[in-house]
Amino acid sequence: MPAVVIVGAQWGDEGKGKATDLLGSRIDFVVKFNGGNNAGHTVVVGDEKYALHLLPSGILTPGVTPIIGNGVVVDIEVLFQELEALSARGVDVSRLRVSANAHVITHYHRTIDRVTERFLGKRQIGTTGRGIGPTYADKINRVGIRIQDIFDENILRQKVEAALDQKNHLLVKIYNRRAISVDEIVDSLLAYADRLRPMVADTALEIHHALEGGKTVLFEGGQATMLDVDHGTYPFVTSSNATAGGASTGSGIGPGRIDRVIGIVKAYTTRVGAGPFPTELFDASGDFLRANGFEFGTTTGRPRRCGWYDAPIARYSARINGVTDFVLTKLDVLTGLDEIPVCVAYEVDGVRVDEVPVSQTDFHHAKPIYERFPGWSEDITGVRRFEDLPKNAQDYVLALEAMSGSRISVIGVGPGRDAAVVRHDLLG
């Protein structure tokens, strides 16, 4: 049985949660391998809408074991808020497993994130202010707090003292903020120890046993390829590896165990936060996509920047991730447009460039070269077979497939969990 990785192939918010949900009962484990509560997945089940931030979206599927892997940074307060909210709505959350090696977001991480971003002024990156970056920085600097540390008060206190020795100087002398006490942090984390202990495990070993036992394991990436700290639009990126390679390091399985990589792309493009975005629209077309696609951040509520589909970015994502299948979401949002432009290449300093430029400067100045396709007006939300889509919608999908570097196996045609056209089996 396969190990399958799902990754965003643009700048996030592509609908990864829906793709996970679409696989439903065929999945035994869902593993979140990067990021924290800076990302949001919206999953619609019947008339119910669920907004998940830290939890794997597989937690909504009965019988699935959801895992928060070692590559995730965990705000424990947010974790329990989400669990309590789901429990109150009748969702069984008892199967959740959390890696003992995952790093913990503390109050001082959130504080530093917010004050640092404000200090940057016009150079702001556009972080969510939830402490994600500073927590990953502490991890790399080897002064981080891990989930397992919460169960040993002496180790926890030593690590918090070491972290605050430096951070309080920064907060007080540079940012003119109050010092944070060691007791404040230690006590706040210890308060969760008893509730947290039953769900903490050696999740890498559990995933290994699952794969050895013939179970199907889905690895779910937060954020997306163009926000990957190595392969994205640096420095306007997240602080972790959101690409398929991150599934190995963020969960503890070897790359040879991965069978399929599913890339999620919208039928247009969005991003949140600062950074280059060649196809961004500042006109009525952008307003149309934002309104029809309800393009507002699940986590922050911020309006998303909207633009046309960017084929070079899809090809780049296919290459970086080794995408075997694309899931094209939100095709229905384009209904009603007379014409749909698609970016097929860029112009940089008067020269045509067919792939994503490696230079940050070139990408910042890249101007999209468009090919235009006729639109359609028919309602497609009830369509379940590709041949039942309007001819212009079929042609649009086939054109994107030819440009994007891998086959488009599933097409999202509405917000519901069953609103999809399946062309190829994602697990076949």
Side-chain angles (χ1 to χ4, degrees), residues 94-161:
S94 63
R95 291 174 175 266
L96 178 67
R97 311 295 280 161
V98 180
S99 172
N101 290 336
H103 280 246
V104 177
I105 300 171
T106 70
H107 170 61
Y108 56 77
H109 292 122
R110 293 190 296 271
T111 299
I112 288 171
D113 198 0
R114 290 192 293 267
V115 298
T116 302
E117 184 76 350
R118 284 197 292 269
F119 191 77
L120 288 172
K122 66 180 182 180
R123 298 184 303 277
Q124 288 186 5
I125 294 170
T127 77
T128 58
R130 282 157 169 76
I132 309 298
T135 306
Y136 276 115
D138 276 5
K139 176 179 178 177
I140 299 305
N141 286 326
R142 292 163 292 184
V143 292
I145 310 298
R146 297 192 293 177
I147 289 287
Q148 60 180 279
D149 298 329
I150 295 171
F151 308 123
D152 188 321
E153 183 174 352
N154 289 332
I155 287 179
L156 178 62
R157 185 170 295 276
Q158 290 172 27
K159 291 191 172 184
V160 173
E161 285 175 349

Side-chain angles (χ1 to χ4, degrees), residues 28 52 56 60 62 106 117 137 145 158 160 164 254 301 313 318 381 403:
D28 300 297
L52 305 175
L60 297 173
T106 70
E117 184 76 350
I145 310 298
Q158 290 172 27
V160 173
L164 286 178
I313 283 176
T381 56
M403 298 175 190

Side-chain angles (χ1 to χ4, degrees), residues 204-234:
L205 182 61
E206 292 195 1
I207 296 167
H208 170 78
H209 286 323
L211 291 171
E212 289 294 304
K215 304 295 185 181
T216 299
V217 181
L218 185 67
F219 298 87
E220 180 182 72
Q223 293 83 42
T225 299
M226 301 307 290
L227 293 176
D228 184 277
V229 70
D230 285 295
H231 302 293
T233 49
Y234 190 90

